Every structure is written in structure tokens, then in C-alpha cells.
Amino acid sequence: MFRLMPFIGIVMAIYAAFALLGAVFGDADFDMATFLGNEVWRITLPSKKDWPLNIGELFVLGGLVALGIESLKAAGTTRTSMGNHILSMLSFIGGLLLFILVAGFETSPFFLLVAKAGIDTMAGMLVSIVTAKRDVGVDRAEM
């Protein structure tokens, strides 16, 4: 079950929860773009300069971590790989539709999550194809 879940889809679902429930549990004039700009913390670097980190950047970081995990999962060849590819594709298509059609999802951090989901989908399928060719022993001379 754990290998079947696309982690980028999980990060996108967390974003969707904030975007869709923000107006319900927050102010009536909740704006996702403003929410993403809220500073989470500020770190003072050795150069004595402050580095602010906001919520949108945390979503981008979470998407990068998820993409790294998905890349490691793509290297395996198990029976759940096809299910993972299907769910990754559904995450990508769903995220793309949300970005285009639903208010609150038209932000750069969400677009970057959708782009990572697309890259994960393509990379996962390509890795599976290359692995299958290697396992079956197909080379260029036979094609």
C-alpha cells in the first residue's frame, strides 16, 4: 500500500486541503496566494543576513522531497509499479485541472507541484520501459 501512493499527490492533497478549507475555517476573504506568502520562520545565516522561509516555499520543498522518493521507487520492478504509474498520472491530470479551473490553485507553488507530478509520471513510465527491455533482453539489433 505504501509503495502504491504517489508522494507528490499527497503533497498536492495537503495543498488542496489548505486551499479548499481555508475559507471554511479561516477568514471569509481567505486568499491562498496571500496565505502562501506567510512567513513560517526566519533563519539568521552566518553572513548575518536573515533568510525568511514562507509556506509556498515549504510546499515546493515538500514536492522536491516527494519527487526524490518517487525517483527511488521508480527504480524497482514490482507488481504495484503499474498502480503507482496510474495514480501518478491521475495526480498529474487532477492537479492540472485544479490549476486551470479552480480558484486558489492558480499559484506558482501549486504549478510547480503539478510540473513535478508530470515529471514523476513520465520518468516512472520511462524507467519501467527501460527496465522491462533490460529484463526481457531486447536490444537495438532486434528492433
Side-chain angles (χ1 to χ4, degrees):
M1 177 70 177
F2 182 69
R3 288 189 52 84
L4 191 63
M5 297 298 297
F7 288 103
I8 295 174
I10 293 171
V11 176
M12 290 169 66
I14 293 169
Y15 181 102
F18 279 106
L20 297 174
L21 298 177
V24 174
F25 295 112
D27 296 334
D29 60 344
F30 178 79
D31 179 45
M32 190 63 180
T34 305
F35 173 74
L36 291 173
N38 289 337
E39 188 176 299
V40 177
W41 68 73
R42 181 176 294 269
I43 300 169
T44 303
L45 301 173
S47 65
K48 306 291 188 245
K49 297 289 183 178
D50 285 343
W51 175 51
L53 189 66
N54 63 35
I55 295 171
E57 292 164 345
L58 282 178
F59 274 109
V60 172
L61 179 62
L64 285 172
V65 170
L67 185 60
I69 293 169
E70 288 295 325
S71 298
L72 293 174
K73 284 175 28 180
T77 55
T78 62
R79 286 186 281 166
T80 59
S81 294
M82 185 56 74
N84 182 274
H85 295 325
I86 292 169
L87 289 176
S88 293
M89 178 65 77
L90 291 175
S91 294
F92 171 65
I93 292 169
L96 189 61
L97 289 173
L98 286 171
F99 177 75
I100 294 170
L101 301 174
V102 181
F105 291 89
E106 72 288 349
T107 63
S108 293
F110 191 73
F111 173 76
L112 292 172
L113 287 175
V114 171
K116 289 172 193 164
I119 291 168
D120 168 47
T121 301
M122 289 185 295
M125 290 182 184
L126 288 173
V127 166
S128 293
I129 290 168
V130 169
T131 303
K133 281 184 179 180
R134 184 193 66 214
D135 290 347
V136 174
V138 175
D139 60 9
R140 291 181 163 259
E142 294 176 18
M143 293 179 146

